[in-house]
C-alpha cells in the first residue's frame, strides 16, 4: 500500500513541479480520490437541481392547464352569448345555433378531408 506524504500549501507553491516529493502513484491516488469526491458533489448538486426543475415544471403545467380550462370555458360562454344574440335578432333559436356552429362544421370538414387524404395509401404527402 502506498502512503501519501502531506506537503503544506506553502511548500507546494514554492516547489517546482519536478521537485514534488510525492510519487506518481500517490499523485494518481489523490487525483482519483478528488475526482470521486467531485463526482459525488456533482451528482448531489444535479439531484437538487432536477428536483427544483421538476417542481417548477409541475407548477408551470398546472398554471397553463388552468389557463387553458378558463379560456375554453370563456369561449363556450362567448359562443352561447353569440347564439342568444343572433336568436334575439332573427327570432328563432335553431337558425341562430346553425349560424354559430357553421364555421366549426366547415373547419371540421376541411380537417377531416385533409386527414383522410393524408392517410390514404397512395398519398404523395406521406
Amino acid at each position: 500500500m502506498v502512503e501519501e506524504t502531506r506537503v503544506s500549501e506553502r511548500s507546494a507553491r514554492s516547489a517546482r513541479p519536478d521537485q514534488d516529493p510525492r510519487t506518481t502513484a500517490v499523485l494518481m491516488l489523490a487525483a482519483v480520490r478528488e475526482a470521486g469526491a467531485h463526482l459525488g458533489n456533482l451528482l448531489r448538486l444535479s439531484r437538487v437541481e432536477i428536483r427544483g426543475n421538476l417542481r417548477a415544471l409541475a407548477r408551470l403545467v398546472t398554471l397553463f392547464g388552468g389557463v387553458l380550462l378558463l379560456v375554453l370555458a370563456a369561449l363556450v360562454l362567448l359562443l352561447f352569448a353569440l347564439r342568444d344574440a343572433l336568436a334575439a335578432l332573427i327570432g328563432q333559436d335553431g337558425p341562430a345555433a346553425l349560424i354559430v356552429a357553421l364555421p366549426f362544421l366547415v373547419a371540421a370538414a376541411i380537417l377531416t378531408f385533409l386527414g383522410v387524404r393524408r392517410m390514404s395509401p397512395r398519398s404523395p404527402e406521406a
Side-chain angles (χ1 to χ4, degrees), residues 44-100:
R44 213 173 2 261
L45 176 63
S46 65
R47 190 179 314 132
V48 170
E49 289 286 330
I50 289 172
R51 282 183 188 157
N53 289 343
L54 287 178
R55 284 189 192 116
L57 183 64
R59 248 184 247 126
L60 187 66
V61 167
T62 303
L63 288 174
F64 275 116
V67 166
L68 181 64
L69 181 66
L70 291 175
V71 165
L72 288 176
L75 287 175
V76 168
L77 290 174
L78 179 67
L79 290 173
F80 284 155
L82 183 61
R83 186 210 53 190
D84 289 344
L86 280 175
L89 285 175
I90 62 175
Q92 296 176 346
D93 282 340
L98 285 176
I99 291 170
V100 171

Side-chain angles (χ1 to χ4, degrees), residues 7 15 17-18 22 25 34 39 45 69 71 81 86 92 101 115 117:
V7 177
D18 58 345
R22 296 177 291 181
E34 289 296 320
L39 181 63
L45 176 63
L69 181 66
V71 165
L86 280 175
Q92 296 176 346
R117 195 174 77 183

Side-chain angles (χ1 to χ4, degrees), residues 8-15:
S8 69
E9 289 289 324
R10 189 178 64 226
S11 64
R13 278 189 221 130
S14 63

